[in-house]
Amino acid sequence: MMKIRASEIASLAETVLIRHGVAPAYAETQVNLLLQAEMRGFASHGLLRLRRIVERIASGVSAPNATGTHEWLGQNFLAVDGQGGLGPIVALAALDTIEQRARESGIALTAIRNSNHIGMLAWYGEQMAAKGLILIAMTTSEALVHPWGGRSAMLGTNPLCIAVPANPEPLVLDMATSLVAMGKIHDYANRGVPIPAGWALDRQGDPTTDAAAAKAGAIAPFGGAKGYALGLAIEVLVTALSGAAIGTDIVGTLDSDKVCNKGDVFILISPQQGAAIEALVSAYLDDIRQCAPASPGEPVSVPGDRARRACAKSLADGVEIDAGLWRDLQSLDQISIGKVNLL
Amino acid sequence: MMKIRASEIASLAETVLIRHGVAPAYAETQVNLLLQAEMRGFASHGLLRLRRIVERIASGVSAPNATGTHEWLGQNFLAVDGQGGLGPIVALAALDTIEQRARESGIALTAIRNSNHIGMLAWYGEQMAAKGLILIAMTTSEALVHPWGGRSAMLGTNPLCIAVPANPEPLVLDMATSLVAMGKIHDYANRGVPIPAGWALDRQGDPTTDAAAAKAGAIAPFGGAKGYALGLAIEVLVTALSGAAIGTDIVGTLDSDKVCNKGDVFILISPQQGAAIEALVSAYLDDIRQCAPASPGEPVSVPGDRARRACAKSLADGVEIDAGLWRDLQSLDQISIGKVNLL
């Protein structure tokens, strides 16, 4: 690991995207999303993904500057065809479009298909909470998770984000419905270390602690039957609302050459209850933080707190980044991948 | 346990409510909710609750025929003051009011306070899914669950329901965010059996396997840190939207004499994507059911399937009901509790 200033990473990564045809403002947005994940220690959603984004533009399955077409299926239901645009560009354009209706009506929804990986959901939740809005966000992805009591991967890791404004800091839940990330299993495999029992099945559907075997198998849902049920509900809800693909048909967030066909759903709510209720919620969250800890010196966290602290530390001290990844980012800056270098 | 015909139980329970001033149509609705839970084997949300409902009417903290006042805080955001009405009566009136706006606009929300226990959330989810609508429902309750890494009860068991229409049967997720129900811990205590490690803390905040000690302590969230985060997000979201009480201030679903001050939130969505997408979702759910099972003879379930089968069996064979509970229901029919016997 090495430490690099956040601005230095951003500058390099934006240059790479711009060299591949992404408009400077969109490059800044996409890189901010990746960098925010990196700064929180969520490497799987961090700058690791830049190479794939560039390769997908080069292979023609991602459109570097598409923002998506918007169609109101109801006054508060915005259907978006992302036209192959970058995930955060399409998603922010959709959120921007529904924001006014959410404020006026109390609630609005956007369902997106044909867009790319939207990254760490907390990034959207924090932005909406900072505007005084509640966000519920869900997205699907390649089938990597097995049903509870089943032997093969049939669900995405299907994360859920719930963000609620509070003072001084909002609650920002952002969690995958898998027990662990597939990236973590790859990491164990790379280090030749066995994974804990219960994490995964092998290709034949049998429980395994062999990380290499798990890579070809299926990850367990978190929380047993309940986590499975939640992940399945998200899979079904996202497709029912967006018209995106479902289950093992989903491709395009782990490869560089397939049109991405997962879906995203954002529900934006204006709390409407005023400052006294926001103060009540904020005081409760502070009580939670003050709860006597099970382990002395390990205070109870509100979702979002740890990520925020890690982010502040990265900004102050520099971003911890894998040395090999940093070299790869630098090499991306030296070369053009494929045919789409427009500069 | 004994087996009683569903209609016989319903008739008796409705008579009890009517004797205590509940209008016949509301009595039928309230009893149907309790009976449906009983028929699925969810005894904690079943007829066990009838005595408390009657006692709460008798003590004047529940209003037997209130349906709540409705105020639109935005065109698609209905705030409801339940006026102490019965949970399902107030909730169905609110859902009925937002249904048309959800159909026209795509999405609408109702946030309810000052209503009573709304029971098994799946009951609402099934009704909405049968109308072709998606429901997301959440409710709060007395603080029984400890934060992950904390030593005292600060959150309700905060269930989440997600119902999505499909053929032949919808997906209906309905789960508490606690690892187990407090009722289950009471059951272990009654039988003098230790609870499994990890289920609960004692009054001092230390892990315990003593069921009696756990009754005075706190239940663990399901799924570790993630389940805690989800339960906390629900606690905060419900209060932010409804203006209801929060955390350890919540009373009124486990006692007979305090005004109930928890909140409920229902988000109703019209899928808008048409029959082809509903068919895609339905086919996927069937694929899930056909997934090779981990244990031969134990097929993978879609949330809602098991409850539906249990319900059908109870209708056909009679409802399994605790003999003591059945005697208690009969005694409720013989006596009037308190001052509110209006017949």
Side-chain angles (χ1 to χ4, degrees):
Chain A
M1 301 297 282
M2 43 195 306
K3 279 192 180 174
I4 313 282
R5 264 187 305 121
S7 59
E8 189 178 344
I9 300 175
S11 170
L12 175 66
E14 288 172 25
T15 303
V16 169
L17 287 179
I18 292 167
R19 280 166 61 89
H20 287 81
V22 181
Y26 297 159
E28 187 181 347
T29 298
Q30 175 69 69
V31 167
N32 183 264
L33 169 64
L34 300 179
L35 185 56
Q36 289 279 334
E38 196 77 38
M39 292 200 293
R40 288 146 200 239
F42 301 146
S44 63
H45 286 55
L47 289 147
L48 183 66
R49 293 207 171 244
L50 189 69
R51 171 173 284 275
R52 186 168 305 128
I53 291 169
V54 170
E55 288 174 350
R56 290 181 61 79
I57 294 171
S59 71
V61 292
S62 288
N65 297 308
T67 57
T69 59
H70 292 181
E71 182 186 4
W72 290 101
L73 299 186
Q75 183 166 315
N76 296 62
F77 188 125
L78 181 71
V80 175
D81 175 343
Q83 300 186 299
L86 301 178
I89 305 307
V90 172
L92 285 189
L95 281 166
D96 194 51
T97 300
I98 67 171
E99 181 179 331
Q100 195 56 34
R101 299 208 184 176
R103 287 191 191 282
E104 286 167 6
S105 310
I107 188 166
L109 175 151
T110 182
I112 303 171
R113 60 186 174 80
N114 196 21
S115 157
N116 282 287
H117 192 251
I118 62 171
M120 176 179 68
L121 297 187
W123 187 75
Y124 305 91
E126 286 180 2
Q127 291 181 57
M128 296 302 116
K131 294 178 173 207
L133 296 167
I134 289 170
L135 179 70
I136 302 174
M138 291 167 271
T139 183
T140 52
S141 51
E142 278 84 347
L144 295 175
V145 177
H146 64 78
W148 188 246
R151 295 173 72 90
S152 63
M154 295 189 71
L155 298 93
T157 54
N158 300 358
L160 170 69
C161 172
I162 300 177
V164 181
N167 283 306
E169 300 293 357
L171 172 143
V172 183
L173 159 77
D174 176 5
M175 61 182 208
T177 50
S178 56
L179 185 59
V180 291
M182 184 52 100
K184 203 161 189 174
I185 290 177
H186 280 250
D187 182 47
Y188 275 67
N190 291 343
R191 291 188 287 122
V193 176
I195 56 172
W199 276 22
L201 308 177
D202 63 19
R203 186 193 294 269
Q204 286 73 42
D206 293 314
T208 186
T209 57
D210 177 345
K215 282 167 61 178
I219 316 172
F222 93 99
K226 288 186 179 186
Y228 152 62
L230 181 60
L232 184 63
I234 292 172
E235 184 96 24
V236 163
L237 189 65
V238 167
T239 293
L241 293 173
S242 68
I246 197 164
T248 52
D249 287 341
I250 295 180
V251 293
T253 82
L254 301 173
D255 59 71
S256 297
D257 57 358
K258 298 188 183 77
V259 172
C260 184
N261 58 0
K262 52 78 193 168
D264 320 303
V265 167
F266 296 90
I267 299 171
L268 205 53
I269 309 173
S270 176
Q272 314 280 31
Q273 290 287 354
I277 295 302
E278 184 169 324
L280 177 68
V281 164
S282 302
Y284 172 68
L285 291 177
D286 281 341
D287 287 348
I288 289 276
R289 293 179 179 106
Q290 302 301 322
C291 179
S295 306
E298 290 182 28
V300 171
S301 263
V302 165
D305 286 358
R306 281 180 197 162
R308 210 174 287 118
R309 281 195 297 270
C311 195
K313 190 170 185 313
S314 293
L315 269 180
D317 302 349
V319 184
E320 289 242 12
I321 189 168
D322 179 83
L325 173 58
W326 181 239
R327 277 194 306 276
D328 190 54
L329 295 179
Q330 289 174 309
S331 75
L332 277 178
D333 188 34
Q334 303 302 318
I335 57 154
S336 299
I337 294 179
K339 61 183 190 297
V340 199
N341 179 13
L342 302 180
L343 294 184
Chain B
M1 300 297 283
M2 42 196 305
K3 278 192 179 173
I4 313 284
R5 264 187 304 121
S7 58
E8 189 178 343
I9 301 175
S11 169
L12 174 68
E14 287 172 26
T15 303
V16 169
L17 287 179
I18 292 167
R19 280 167 60 88
H20 286 83
V22 181
Y26 298 159
E28 187 181 347
T29 299
Q30 175 71 69
V31 167
N32 183 264
L33 170 63
L34 300 179
L35 186 55
Q36 289 278 335
E38 196 77 39
M39 292 201 294
R40 288 146 201 239
F42 301 147
S44 63
H45 286 55
L47 290 146
L48 183 67
R49 294 207 170 243
L50 189 70
R51 172 173 284 274
R52 185 168 304 129
I53 291 169
V54 170
E55 289 174 350
R56 291 181 60 80
I57 294 171
S59 71
V61 294
S62 288
N65 297 308
T67 56
T69 58
H70 291 181
E71 183 186 2
W72 290 101
L73 298 186
Q75 183 166 316
N76 297 61
F77 188 124
L78 181 71
V80 175
D81 175 343
Q83 300 186 300
L86 301 177
I89 305 307
V90 173
L92 286 189
L95 282 166
D96 194 51
T97 301
I98 66 171
E99 181 179 332
Q100 195 56 33
R101 297 209 186 176
R103 286 190 192 282
E104 287 168 6
S105 310
I107 188 166
L109 175 150
T110 181
I112 303 172
R113 61 187 174 79
N114 197 20
S115 157
N116 282 287
H117 193 252
I118 61 171
M120 176 181 68
L121 297 187
W123 186 74
Y124 305 92
E126 286 180 1
Q127 291 181 57
M128 296 303 116
K131 294 178 174 209
L133 295 167
I134 289 170
L135 180 70
I136 302 174
M138 291 166 272
T139 182
T140 52
S141 51
E142 279 83 347
L144 295 175
V145 177
H146 64 78
W148 188 245
R151 295 174 72 91
S152 63
M154 296 190 70
L155 299 93
T157 54
N158 300 358
L160 170 69
C161 172
I162 299 177
V164 182
N167 283 308
E169 300 293 356
L171 173 142
V172 183
L173 160 76
D174 176 4
M175 63 181 204
T177 50
S178 56
L179 185 59
V180 291
M182 184 52 99
K184 202 160 190 175
I185 289 177
H186 281 252
D187 183 47
Y188 276 66
N190 291 342
R191 293 187 286 123
V193 177
I195 55 172
W199 276 22
L201 308 177
D202 64 18
R203 187 193 294 270
Q204 286 72 42
D206 293 313
T208 187
T209 57
D210 177 345
K215 281 168 60 177
I219 316 171
F222 92 98
K226 287 186 179 185
Y228 152 62
L230 181 59
L232 184 63
I234 292 172
E235 184 96 24
V236 163
L237 189 65
V238 167
T239 294
L241 293 172
S242 68
I246 196 165
T248 53
D249 288 341
I250 296 180
V251 292
T253 81
L254 301 172
D255 59 73
S256 297
D257 57 358
K258 298 188 182 79
V259 172
C260 184
N261 59 1
K262 53 77 193 166
D264 319 304
V265 167
F266 295 91
I267 299 171
L268 206 52
I269 310 173
S270 176
Q272 314 281 29
Q273 290 287 354
I277 295 300
E278 186 170 324
L280 177 68
V281 164
S282 301
Y284 171 69
L285 291 177
D286 280 342
D287 287 347
I288 289 276
R289 293 179 179 106
Q290 302 303 322
C291 178
S295 306
E298 289 181 29
V300 171
S301 264
V302 166
D305 286 358
R306 281 180 196 162
R308 210 174 289 117
R309 282 195 297 269
C311 196
K313 191 170 185 313
S314 294
L315 269 180
D317 302 348
V319 183
E320 289 242 11
I321 188 167
D322 180 82
L325 173 58
W326 181 238
R327 278 195 305 276
D328 189 55
L329 295 178
Q330 289 174 309
S331 76
L332 276 177
D333 188 33
Q334 303 302 318
I335 58 155
S336 299
I337 294 179
K339 60 182 190 298
V340 200
N341 179 11
L342 302 180
L343 296 182

